Amino acid sequence: MRLHLVLGDQLSHSLSALRDVDPVRSLILIAEVMQEATYVRHHKKKIAFLFSAMRHFAEELKDRGYQVRYVTLDDPDNSQDLLGEVRRAIADAGVSRVITTECGEWRLASEIVTWSDVLDLPVEVRCDDRFLCSIDDFRDWRRDRKQLRMEYFYREMRRRHRVLLEEGDLPVGGQWNFDAENRKPPVAGLKGPKRLSHPKNAITNAVLALVEDRFADHIGTLVPFHFAVTAEQAEAELQQFIDDILPDFGDYQDAMVKGEPYLYHSMIAAYLNAGLLLPLDVIRRAEAAWYEARAPLNAVEGFIRQILGWREYVRGVYWTEMPDYVARNHLSAPRPLPQMYWTGKTAMQCMAAAIGDTIEHAYSHHIQRLMVTGNFALLAGIAPAEVCEWYLAVYADAYEWVELPNTLGMALYGDGGIMASKPYAASGKYIDRMSNFCGGCRYDPKITTGPSACPFNALYWDFIDRNSEKLGRNPRMANMYATWRRMDPFKQEAIRKHADGLLKSLDML
Ligand code: DLZ
Ligand code: SF4
C-alpha cells in the first residue's frame, strides 16, 4: 500500500500527492489532530471551517472510489499528531511508501523531512504545483537582486502565465498596474451586496458541536456560520464575486465602512488557501470578466495582482527567508499585545470594528488588517512575534507562509524592508479619510494631544521620532522627517509626553 497524506489546507483533487492515487493500492490519510488545531489558538470558525471541509473532501474521495482513512478529533485511538497518525496507518494497512505534498509552514515541514528516518520508509514530498511559482523558481528570480520588489515579480508572472497581455508581451490597457484608480474613500451609504450563506448539513453541524465542546476557550463566535465547506460552494462564492462584486472591487478596495466587514472584497482567501479554489482558475475567470466587458480593468488587474503577484510573492519570500525570518524584529519593538486584540474592547472605533469583525467572522479585509490593527501595532511598538501569533490564530485564511511576510514584513516592517520599502505607518487622518469610523468615536482624528486626541496621531509622530536612527535616512520617509523636524520643540515635547502616557496604558484606550 502507498499512503497518501493530505493536510487540512490541501483539499484539492488535483493535489500533487493524489496525482497517481490508485483505488486498490492507495490509502489516503486525512487526520484531525490537536497538534495542528492548537499550535496557535486558532479562531473557532477557522477550525470548524477546516474540519468540515476536510470531512467533505474525504467523502468526495470515497465517492470517487478511493480508500480513505479519516481520523476524527474525538476518535479514542487518535494520537493527536500527524506522525502518530501516519504511524498508526502504516501499522494497520501495511504501507511501503508515504507520499505527501510540501506543506505551508516551516514548523511542520522541518518535522516531515525527518519522517523517512523515523519511520524507516521512503517519504516522498512533492512540489505543491497549485502555486504558480515554485520555491526554486522564486529563489532563482531573487538571486542577484539587491532589492526585491513585488511589482517586477508580478510583471514576470503576467508574462510567464500570459495573463492580461497583448501582443509583444505588453500589458493590456498600456499599464501593468492601475492602483492609482483604486484608492477611493467610501461615499455616504456605501454598502456591499448580500453574501451567500451555505446551508449546514449533518457533517457541518457535528463539527460545530465538536469545536464548541473542545475549543470553547479559543477566540471567536461559531454562530452564525456562513462558510463554504466544499469546492462546489466555494465556486458559488467565486461566481457571485465575479458577476456582482468584482466591478466595484477596485474603486473601494481601501475603503472601510462601519457594519460592512466585506464591502466589495472577494472573501475567497480561506478557500484558496485551503485548496477549495485554485489560483489559476480564479485568475482566468477574472480575466474573462474584463475581456467580456463585465468588469473594468482597474478592478480586474488589481484583483489578479493579489493572486498572481502578491500571494505568490509572499510565499516565495517566506520559504527563501525562513527559518530566521520568524524571529526578526528590525525596529526592536518590545511591547506585549494589548488585551483589546482578543476582546475588541476599546473606545477606538476603528480598532473595535476591525477586531469585532475578526472575532465574529474570522475575517477582516486587507486595509483593516494593514492600516488599523497592523498600523496600531506598528506605531505602538508591539513585538512582532506577539502580533504574528494573533494574525495566524484569528483569520480563517491564515497559514504561516502567507501570514508571516504580510504581518512581520509588510505591516510591522520587522524585516527591515524586504516586503515594504517603508513602514506602512499612518495617523488618524488616513483612517478618517478612508472610513466612516471617526464620526462615532470618542477620539478626534484632528487632535494630537489631550484627552480627546486620536491615539494614532501622537503614536504616529512618536514612532517617527523613536525610530529616527533606523528610518531617518529612508528617502521615502524624508517628508515625514522634514515635517517632524520643522515642528515647534514645545509641540514635539507635548507629543512625546502624550505618546508616553498612551504607551503606558494601551489597555485603557
Ligand atoms: C489549520 C489546521 C487545523 C486547525 N487542523 C488541522 C488538522 O487537524 N489536520 C491537518 O492535517 N491540518 C490541519 N490544519 C492545517 C495545517 O495546520 C496545515 O496543513 C499546516 O499548518 C501547513 O500549512
Ligand atoms: Fe480610530 Fe482615531 Fe478615528 Fe477613533 S478617531 S476611529 S481612534 S482613527
Side-chain angles (χ1 to χ4, degrees):
M1 265 309 201
R2 293 185 306 230
L3 186 69
H4 302 252
L5 172 67
V6 175
L7 300 171
D9 55 354
Q10 299 182 337
L11 309 178
S12 316
H13 289 286
S14 61
L15 189 76
S16 58
L18 295 175
R19 188 150 305 137
D20 49 357
V21 68
D22 181 276
V24 180
R25 281 171 307 169
S26 292
L27 178 64
I28 301 170
L29 172 64
I30 305 179
E32 298 169 5
V33 288
M34 288 303 270
Q35 172 199 15
E36 293 307 304
T38 57
Y39 66 89
V40 289
R41 291 159 65 81
H42 301 288
H43 192 296
K44 287 183 196 142
K45 273 195 172 127
K46 179 181 186 182
I47 302 177
F49 155 63
L50 265 195
F51 282 8
S52 180
M54 286 161 69
R55 292 185 187 195
H56 280 92
F57 187 67
E59 291 306 311
E60 288 172 16
L61 289 168
K62 284 184 205 163
D63 289 346
R64 291 178 180 210
Y66 298 119
Q67 302 181 60
V68 180
R69 178 179 171 109
Y70 191 93
V71 184
T72 58
L73 194 82
D74 51 5
D75 179 336
D77 295 326
N78 188 334
S79 64
Q80 303 298 352
D81 71 59
L82 289 167
L83 176 60
E85 287 318 289
V86 169
R87 263 192 221 280
R88 285 206 307 132
I90 291 172
D92 291 352
V95 167
S96 59
R97 179 180 197 82
V98 179
I99 297 164
T100 189
T101 292
E102 57 192 359
C103 76
E105 302 194 347
W106 183 274
R107 169 189 65 79
L108 187 57
S110 58
E111 192 200 309
I112 291 176
V113 291
T114 68
W115 284 4
S116 178
D117 284 344
V118 176
L119 298 167
D120 200 18
L121 275 183
V123 176
E124 186 189 343
V125 180
R126 295 181 180 166
C127 179
D128 190 347
D129 51 19
R130 297 173 302 170
F131 287 93
L132 302 171
C133 178
S134 72
I135 297 157
D136 283 345
D137 282 355
F138 190 85
R139 195 171 282 114
D140 283 347
W141 176 80
R142 72 172 284 181
R143 190 172 292 133
D144 306 327
R145 271 169 213 267
K146 269 206 220 83
Q147 262 208 333
L148 299 188
R149 285 294 159 255
M150 194 284 292
E151 186 63 29
Y152 298 113
F153 170 78
Y154 164 62
R155 290 178 192 178
E156 217 166 292
M157 292 293 282
R158 287 264 297 271
R159 291 199 180 103
R160 194 187 305 170
H161 294 278
R162 310 220 52 79
V163 176
L164 295 176
L165 277 196
E166 278 174 1
E167 254 175 65
D169 276 5
L170 293 170
V172 298
Q175 274 166 242
W176 291 101
N177 181 320
F178 292 84
D179 246 4
E181 296 170 37
N182 285 349
R183 300 204 179 99
K184 294 199 174 60
V187 290
L190 190 68
K191 203 169 158 48
K194 190 169 162 40
R195 299 304 179 113
L196 302 185
S197 176
H198 304 278
K200 291 183 285 297
N201 63 6
I203 293 178
T204 299
N205 283 327
V207 163
L208 290 170
L210 174 79
V211 173
E212 194 55 76
D213 182 40
R214 299 291 298 274
F215 303 98
D217 54 351
H218 284 214
I219 190 173
T221 49
L222 270 177
V223 182
F225 186 86
H226 300 299
F227 280 86
V229 291
T230 63
E232 196 183 330
Q233 291 173 344
E235 163 59 34
E237 286 205 28
L238 174 63
Q239 188 68 50
Q240 182 199 25
F241 174 72
I242 301 277
D243 291 347
D244 304 337
I245 304 171
L246 177 61
D248 294 303
F249 165 80
D251 289 356
Y252 296 115
Q253 229 182 103
D254 289 2
M256 296 177 278
V257 174
K258 202 172 163 67
E260 287 286 315
Y262 312 128
L263 277 179
Y264 298 97
H265 289 272
S266 72
M267 291 173 61
I268 62 164
Y271 309 137
L272 267 176
N273 295 352
L276 298 183
L277 294 174
L278 294 174
L280 197 57
D281 288 352
V282 173
I283 290 166
R284 294 293 178 217
R285 298 273 289 282
E287 192 185 21
W290 181 70
Y291 280 112
E292 292 158 18
R294 290 187 283 125
L297 191 52
N298 67 310
V300 171
E301 185 283 314
F303 177 70
I304 287 178
R305 177 158 24 88
Q306 301 311 312
I307 301 174
L308 183 63
W310 193 249
R311 183 172 185 271
E312 299 287 331
Y313 183 76
V314 295
R315 178 175 181 259
V317 168
Y318 177 76
W319 286 107
T320 52
E321 289 292 329
M322 281 296 275
D324 314 359
Y325 198 76
V326 72
R328 293 211 192 148
N329 185 358
H330 178 70
L331 300 176
S332 307
R335 291 184 185 77
L337 190 73
Q339 265 307 306
M340 70 173 100
Y341 278 80
W342 299 106
T343 62
K345 290 202 176 96
T346 165
M348 293 184 285
Q349 288 304 295
C350 55
M351 288 287 281
I355 299 167
D357 289 346
T358 303
I359 292 172
E360 198 179 339
H361 306 293
Y363 176 87
S364 69
H365 70 65
H366 82 133
I367 285 298
Q368 290 177 296
R369 296 190 202 193
L370 181 66
M371 300 309 291
V372 180
T373 45
N375 182 28
F376 187 81
L378 170 75
L379 300 183
I382 313 298
E386 299 228 352
V387 188
C388 291
E389 187 181 335
W390 183 78
Y391 277 84
L392 187 57
V394 300
Y395 290 115
D397 48 72
Y399 303 91
E400 200 180 66
W401 68 265
V402 59
E403 173 277 322
L404 194 66
N406 272 306
T407 311
L408 185 145
M410 181 80 175
L412 302 178
Y413 203 68
D415 63 10
I418 297 175
M419 288 296 294
S421 53
K422 71 172 181 67
Y424 272 76
S427 68
K429 221 193 311 173
Y430 172 85
I431 297 172
D432 190 26
R433 186 169 72 246
M434 295 310 295
S435 80
N436 65 358
F437 294 131
C438 300
C441 187
R442 85 167 265 274
Y443 299 111
D444 185 336
K446 292 182 190 67
I447 305 179
T448 304
T449 53
S452 55
C454 167
F456 280 86
N457 292 344
L459 288 177
Y460 173 79
W461 288 116
D462 191 60
F463 169 85
I464 296 286
D465 185 33
R466 224 183 311 139
N467 291 294
S468 61
E469 222 170 88
K470 285 182 179 140
L471 304 175
R473 280 182 299 276
N474 182 330
R476 297 200 60 206
M477 304 285 284
N479 281 344
M480 267 76 99
Y481 276 98
T483 310
W484 172 248
R485 287 184 194 119
R486 270 200 311 269
M487 211 181 275
D488 176 341
F490 288 107
K491 197 171 166 195
Q492 285 183 336
E493 205 36 48
I495 289 175
R496 283 195 196 102
K497 214 165 141 215
H498 186 63
D500 192 48
L502 295 171
L503 291 172
K504 286 197 175 110
S505 59
L506 290 174
D507 272 319
M508 317 286 281
L509 299 177

